[in-house]
Amino acid sequence: MEEENIPIQPCFSDEGINYMHIRHNNLYLLALSKRNSNAAEIILFLHRLVSVLAEYFKEVEEESIRDNFVIIYELLDEMMDFGYPQTTESKILQEYITQESHKLEVQVRPPMAVTNAVSWRSEGIRYRKNEVFLDVIESVNLLVNASGNVVRSEILGSVKMKCYLSGMPELRLGLNDKVMFENTGRAARGKSVEMEDVKFHQCVRLSRFENDRTISFIPPDGEFELMSYRLSTPVKPLVWVEASVERYKNSRIEYMVKVRGQFKRKSTANNVEIYVPVPEDADSPKFRAATGSVVYAPEKSAFIWKIKQLGGGKDYLMRAHFGLPSVVGEELDKRPPLRVSFEIPYFTLSGIQVRYLKIVEKSGYSALPWVRYICQSGDDYVLRTITDAKSSSIITPL
């Protein structure tokens, strides 16, 4: 039984065959190779395949694979030839591979974008109103121990765009990039950011970025992710939560939870959700909250405190009461941690800023660029600040 729990490595070799796989939901996507292939390239292709299938079927799972295997054969035939990746842009593929089965039998000429140098954008696109929407989204992951100290933190950022532009425009994006300022000897106005693990969409000219850190590109039509980055700088919890637990043997258990917005007072966290774990056999829930609403989620063995808006510098209390019929006690050290989700608009934790967004097109039209900043909790925003009521100081200010 112990051997079955050993995780499978994403890349391994056996009897001269290389196995490379990724997992998505309940599926494993596997690629095989007999040569000394580029494993990173193959893994990246498998991820692109999942994103393309998700564009077609919404949910990529066993049932959708069975129901659409004919379309998947067509997609694989266009996305890879003789082991080499070809067209992986879902918007271009959707122009000549549709989800109606009868159309698959018709010989359709692929769009010019497939054979052009700009394979991610079709020619002849026209809009009455030319607009560009740019979102800088940062997700914060952190782990706070029982003592209230941050033991791990990171910022995962992404720049997402929606382009509704006519023709074949070239865009230039400038950020407050620390490396760019150092290379050019220019002084940064305000804070500069040093990004790590930067990844770009295929439309970005990498040679131009390596030379002068200019992000120059001809964008795909519609919505896409332009770039992603990571910062491993220490951060403080933007939304701080701690809980005090008092257990009455074989009768009930009571919680007191405190939340505080530890960010600028002019900012507001929206849709705050605090997941507080409870024993699996808890019943008869009763809640009292200073703000927001509380719901019991027995399938998750937790109750969820939902606050629509949490202002910076504000703090609130809530109390919860549960019946506890079980005789078996729960060790405090093994109690699951608190988990928090939130979103803060018009705010970035790293301080990244869009300095300019220039749009150049030979017809000379004017376009309206819109920029928005969003900071939100990541998938791993965890606080182990659940303490025994006897040793808790939850009532005192943070």
Side-chain angles (χ1 to χ4, degrees):
M1 293 296 293
E2 294 181 358
E3 294 182 357
E4 294 180 359
N5 295 327
I6 299 176
I8 303 175
Q9 296 179 355
C11 305
F12 61 91
S13 299
D14 184 50
E15 296 183 0
I17 299 177
N18 303 316
Y19 297 83
M20 291 148 283
H21 83 279
I22 64 171
R23 183 174 181 177
H24 180 80
N25 294 335
N26 60 339
L27 298 174
Y28 286 94
L29 284 81
L30 175 66
L32 307 179
S33 171
K34 290 185 177 181
R35 300 180 180 179
N36 185 19
S37 305
N38 187 333
E41 180 185 20
I42 295 175
I43 293 293
L44 179 59
F45 176 80
L46 292 177
H47 282 288
R48 288 295 303 163
L49 176 61
V50 170
S51 64
V52 169
L53 296 180
E55 288 284 340
Y56 272 80
F57 316 133
K58 305 302 180 185
E59 295 292 336
V60 183
E61 51 191 17
E62 183 177 353
E63 185 176 354
S64 62
I65 296 295
R66 293 179 183 273
D67 294 342
N68 299 280
F69 69 94
V70 175
I71 301 176
I72 293 175
Y73 285 153
E74 291 285 335
L75 290 171
L76 288 173
D77 185 51
E78 296 294 337
M79 294 179 68
M80 177 172 285
D81 282 336
F82 301 103
Y84 293 96
Q86 302 295 320
T87 305
T88 59
E89 186 64 41
S90 60
K91 292 183 178 63
I92 301 300
L93 290 168
Q94 288 175 358
E95 291 187 21
Y96 62 103
I97 297 181
T98 64
Q99 289 183 263
E100 289 79 10
S101 58
H102 67 277
K103 289 188 178 181
L104 294 175
E105 300 174 0
V106 181
Q107 294 295 327
V108 181
R109 178 178 296 179
M112 290 294 294
V114 176
T115 55
N116 285 349
V118 184
S119 61
W120 53 87
R121 183 180 180 90
S122 300
E123 296 182 358
I125 298 175
R126 290 290 179 267
Y127 287 100
R128 294 181 61 183
K129 186 177 181 181
N130 295 288
E131 293 181 306
V132 177
F133 299 89
L134 188 148
D135 288 343
V136 180
I137 303 173
E138 291 190 342
S139 300
V140 183
N141 291 321
L142 58 80
L143 173 62
V144 178
N145 61 17
S147 301
N149 299 318
V150 179
V151 296
R152 177 177 57 82
S153 64
E154 66 174 357
I155 302 173
L156 301 178
S158 65
V159 178
K160 297 184 178 181
M161 300 189 71
K162 292 182 181 179
C163 288
Y164 305 107
L165 299 174
S166 303
M168 197 69 68
E170 179 180 345
L171 276 63
R172 297 189 185 97
L173 174 65
L175 304 173
N176 55 336
D177 183 7
K178 183 177 180 180
V179 177
M180 185 273 293
F181 288 122
E182 291 177 349
N183 291 347
T184 58
R186 297 166 57 187
R189 296 181 180 178
K191 184 178 180 181
S192 60
V193 178
E194 185 174 1
M195 298 176 290
E196 305 172 14
D197 297 340
V198 180
K199 299 177 183 177
F200 289 109
H201 188 275
Q202 61 175 324
C203 66
V204 176
R205 297 184 177 92
L206 296 180
S207 58
R208 181 78 181 272
F209 180 76
E210 292 172 356
N211 290 336
D212 56 12
R213 305 291 287 190
T214 298
I215 303 174
S216 175
F217 58 98
I218 297 174
D221 185 45
E223 186 175 354
F224 68 101
E225 182 177 280
L226 176 67
M227 62 177 288
S228 62
Y229 59 91
R230 180 179 65 87
L231 287 89
S232 55
T233 54
V235 298
K236 70 174 184 179
L238 294 173
V239 176
W240 175 266
V241 182
E242 58 180 327
S244 171
V245 184
E246 188 169 2
R247 179 189 293 267
Y248 297 87
K249 189 175 181 181
N250 302 338
S251 61
R252 69 184 190 275
I253 185 170
E254 295 181 354
Y255 293 81
M256 182 183 294
V257 184
K258 182 176 183 178
V259 60
R260 179 180 176 86
Q262 297 191 143
F263 44 87
K264 297 179 181 179
R265 292 184 180 274
K266 64 181 181 179
S267 298
T268 302
N270 297 331
N271 303 320
V272 179
E273 293 189 356
I274 303 166
Y275 293 78
V276 182
V278 299
E280 294 182 356
D281 55 352
D283 59 14
S284 305
K286 296 178 181 178
F287 306 111
R288 188 175 63 189
T291 186
S293 61
V294 187
V295 295
Y296 180 38
E299 71 281 358
K300 299 179 180 179
S301 297
F303 64 87
I304 308 170
W305 185 10
K306 299 181 179 181
I307 304 174
K308 193 170 184 179
Q309 290 186 326
L310 175 64
K314 298 292 184 65
D315 56 79
Y316 298 100
L317 285 173
M318 70 84 56
R319 297 176 184 270
H321 175 282
F322 290 88
L324 197 63
S326 176
V327 180
V328 180
E330 181 185 9
E331 297 182 22
L332 189 64
D333 294 340
K334 294 184 179 180
R335 184 177 291 118
L338 302 164
R339 294 186 176 274
V340 185
S341 65
F342 59 87
E343 181 178 285
I344 306 176
Y346 316 111
F347 179 85
T348 60
L349 191 57
S350 67
I352 192 170
Q353 290 183 345
V354 176
R355 295 172 48 241
Y356 61 83
L357 179 60
K358 298 179 180 179
I359 304 170
V360 180
E361 214 276 335
K362 60 182 180 180
S363 63
Y365 63 75
S366 60
L368 299 174
W370 304 90
V371 181
R372 182 175 60 170
Y373 300 93
I374 300 174
C375 182
Q376 63 187 17
S377 59
D379 297 330
D380 201 18
Y381 192 101
V382 177
L383 301 96
R384 297 188 176 276
T385 50
I386 303 182
T387 58
D388 189 354
K390 298 178 181 178
S391 60
S392 173
S393 59
I394 192 171
I395 304 300
T396 59
L398 291 175

